[in-house]
Amino acid sequence: MRRKPIELAAVATAAVPGLTPTAVSSAPDDPADFDSALLLDSEGKRWRVRSPRHPEASARLETEFLVLRAFVPAIRAELPFLMPTVAGTVRQGELSTFVYSHLAGSTRSVEELGAASPAVAREIGAALAAIHDLPHSLVSNADLPSYTPNEFRQRRLNELDQAATTGKIPPLLLRRWEHALEDVSLWRFNPCVVHGDLHEDNLLVDGDRVTAVTGWTDLRIGDPADDMAWLVASNDQDFVDAVLAQYTSARRDVPDSHLLRRAALSAEFALAQYLVKGLAAGNQDMINEAESMLMALAEDVAEHGGQPISVEPLPQPSPAPAPASGPASGGVPQGTEPGPVPAVSKVSLLAPDSVSGLPAVPSSTAMPAVQVTPIPLEAVQEVRAADDTAGRTDIMADADRTEPAGNKVSSVSVTAIPDDGSGADVSSGEDTSTQSIAVIQAGATAPADLPADDTSTTALRVVGTQPR
């Protein structure tokens, strides 16, 4: 149940003894987690009240209280901005409301910050650098979370799995984010102290100066890109470049080259986190808003490609193969006359062999195709003459042997097939590279010495091979 500003003023009087509010107004904050108000007391001082709406938000405020206590005066003095100070707290059941001393300045929208003078961009860059250069001991002494790059990446993968189970994330975004999270080269960075919840509502600006930074509920050691997500989401590249230039020059460590890519990923993934939070809280308004933003993002990525978030390009799905045509799909199309047989024929062992009558080889046992090229008769006669001179037995009977009309014998050259592990001995010294094979074309009469039960319409036969 949302609390009105007047109710928060009443709670503040219980948290800070002697506080007498004379005016109250609402204050910008995260509406899913907190109710906030600004107070003016009888002495002209201003106060800020933050009241959690559920136990998890209350735990975050209590964590912030510990964080602010860890910022001792020596550390605060080195920061280019002011930090909140807790003036009092009151507990109501499971929830704790906190009252802070007011800080000068006001919040501005991202568009207003981008349209401001270049000095504002430099102030924001300097503030970010100061936060990220804070000593790690500040976090470890407060017993706050600390993540290595790989631990942080794995944490995001777990969150992605949780978001995917909702069934409300567009598949295009799930594939895009998963690819970026599995791109290991993207996640090579030096962990540093991170604000964890930095955005325009936690920056107080007065004129051209950033006067204060608030909202220290998620301080940790992790990826500095998380504090840049709100900048990248602004789509004002000039503003982002100006902030990043000042940030780079002010930091003690050189930022990694993929900082903005991870920031863009964090900005997109924040929508999925918002959806999961809405489902956990049972807030239908949050759920509807998150689904609408996710759908808009998916449409933008599909149409324009979105901001680059991966180092390696996202692989595109292969197009479906076109349906086969011609003899392989059932013969010559209707109305088409069969064309002449080409001089070079290719016989695929994956399709049924209409020449030999052999059954088709299953697709799971694919074999290479054999290319058969006819050799002129003159070349065969020259080879035969050379073999006779060497004392070898010719592989063919008389080359002038005649066959019935239409059943001519042709000699072909077949490239040797490498050893397929069948056990054939290729090291015995027998030269098989120059064998000639007699091929009786389809419809020919098989030689007399073939077995009687051989009913194939084509015979391949080596009839005269001898070792050299």
Side-chain angles (χ1 to χ4, degrees):
M1 179 178 178
R2 181 172 295 280
R3 292 186 176 184
K4 299 179 180 179
I6 191 65
E7 294 178 288
L8 295 178
V11 174
T13 59
V16 182
L19 175 62
T20 306
T22 58
V24 62
S25 66
S26 59
D29 212 324
D30 186 349
D33 294 330
F34 305 103
D35 296 320
S36 296
L38 290 178
L39 307 180
L40 179 66
D41 68 5
S42 56
E43 298 179 359
K45 291 183 179 180
R46 299 189 179 191
W47 309 83
R48 187 184 187 195
V49 185
R50 298 189 81 191
S51 180
R53 303 196 66 188
H54 50 81
E56 189 270 337
S58 180
R60 290 175 59 194
L61 288 182
E62 292 173 4
T63 300
E64 182 186 39
F65 177 62
L66 297 176
V67 169
L68 294 177
R69 290 179 59 183
F71 278 87
V72 297
I75 294 179
R76 291 183 180 232
E78 295 181 358
L79 296 174
F81 51 81
L82 297 177
M83 295 187 63
T85 300
V86 176
T89 180
V90 61
R91 190 170 185 86
Q92 297 173 294
E94 295 182 340
L95 309 180
S96 296
T97 298
F98 286 77
V99 179
Y100 305 84
S101 57
H102 180 68
L103 299 170
S106 60
T107 59
R108 300 183 186 179
S109 67
V110 176
E111 292 75 18
E112 291 173 332
L113 292 174
S117 68
V120 175
R122 291 194 294 269
E123 284 279 311
I124 295 174
L128 282 166
I131 295 172
H132 294 172
D133 282 337
L134 285 169
H136 287 205
S137 59
L138 180 70
V139 173
S140 57
N141 291 342
D143 199 24
L144 296 173
S146 177
Y147 302 101
T148 66
N150 190 55
E151 289 172 342
F152 185 82
R153 184 177 69 91
Q154 188 59 52
R155 181 170 178 258
R156 278 290 162 85
L157 279 169
N158 295 339
E159 290 177 337
L160 179 61
D161 290 341
Q162 182 183 9
T165 60
T166 66
K168 298 179 180 294
I169 309 295
L172 173 66
L173 297 181
L174 286 176
R175 194 165 67 95
R176 172 178 168 86
W177 296 339
E178 183 178 17
H179 176 70
L181 288 169
E182 291 178 349
D183 188 352
V184 179
S185 60
L186 188 68
W187 301 93
R188 295 183 180 130
F189 62 87
N190 291 327
C192 65
V193 176
V194 177
H195 181 279
D197 190 31
L198 194 62
H199 48 77
E200 63 274 19
D201 290 340
N202 286 332
L203 293 175
L204 298 181
V205 180
D206 186 9
D208 290 340
R209 293 188 59 251
V210 173
T211 56
V213 177
T214 62
W216 297 85
T217 58
D218 295 304
L219 191 73
R220 59 179 178 265
I221 294 175
D223 185 3
D226 277 3
D227 287 346
M228 303 283 189
W230 69 282
L231 283 172
V232 178
S234 69
N235 291 322
D236 187 342
Q237 193 58 45
D238 292 337
F239 177 56
V240 174
D241 291 342
V243 172
L244 185 62
Q246 180 62 34
Y247 171 80
T248 302
S249 63
R251 277 218 63 184
R252 288 194 289 264
D253 291 339
V254 178
D256 66 279
S257 58
H258 303 314
L259 180 68
L260 292 185
R261 289 179 182 269
R262 296 195 310 278
L265 172 62
S266 182
E268 292 183 9
F269 192 66
L271 300 181
Q273 294 171 318
Y274 186 63
L275 172 65
V276 172
K277 182 182 292 187
L279 289 169
N283 188 325
Q284 192 59 45
D285 291 338
M286 287 179 61
I287 296 172
N288 294 339
E289 184 181 12
E291 287 186 289
S292 176
M293 290 188 293
L294 285 166
M295 187 60 64
L297 175 61
E299 292 174 355
D300 179 73
V301 171
E303 183 176 358
H304 304 291
Q307 299 188 55
I309 61 175
S310 301
V311 179
E312 295 293 332
L314 181 66
Q316 300 300 320
S318 302
S325 61
S329 60
V332 180
Q334 292 183 355
T336 304
E337 294 296 331
V341 179
V344 178
S345 61
K346 295 183 178 179
V347 181
S348 173
L349 297 182
L350 299 180
D353 192 341
S354 59
V355 177
S356 66
L358 295 175
V361 179
S363 59
S364 60
T365 57
M367 299 175 63
V370 177
Q371 179 169 303
V372 181
T373 306
I375 297 179
L377 183 59
E378 293 79 0
V380 176
Q381 291 173 340
E382 292 178 4
V383 172
R384 182 185 304 130
D387 287 343
D388 290 340
T389 303
R392 298 180 59 182
T393 303
D394 190 19
I395 67 170
M396 298 180 61
D398 187 356
D400 296 330
R401 183 184 67 185
T402 60
E403 296 290 329
N407 295 331
K408 295 182 180 180
V409 176
S410 63
S411 180
V412 298
S413 173
V414 178
T415 304
I417 299 177
D419 179 20
D420 60 357
S422 61
D425 186 5
V426 297
S427 60
S428 61
E430 184 175 1
D431 184 2
T432 61
S433 62
T434 58
Q435 291 179 357
S436 295
I437 300 179
V439 177
I440 301 178
Q441 296 180 348
T445 303
D449 55 348
L450 284 177
D453 59 352
D454 186 352
T455 60
S456 64
T457 58
T458 300
L460 301 181
R461 183 167 177 260
V462 179
V463 294
T465 303
Q466 293 183 359
R468 293 181 179 176

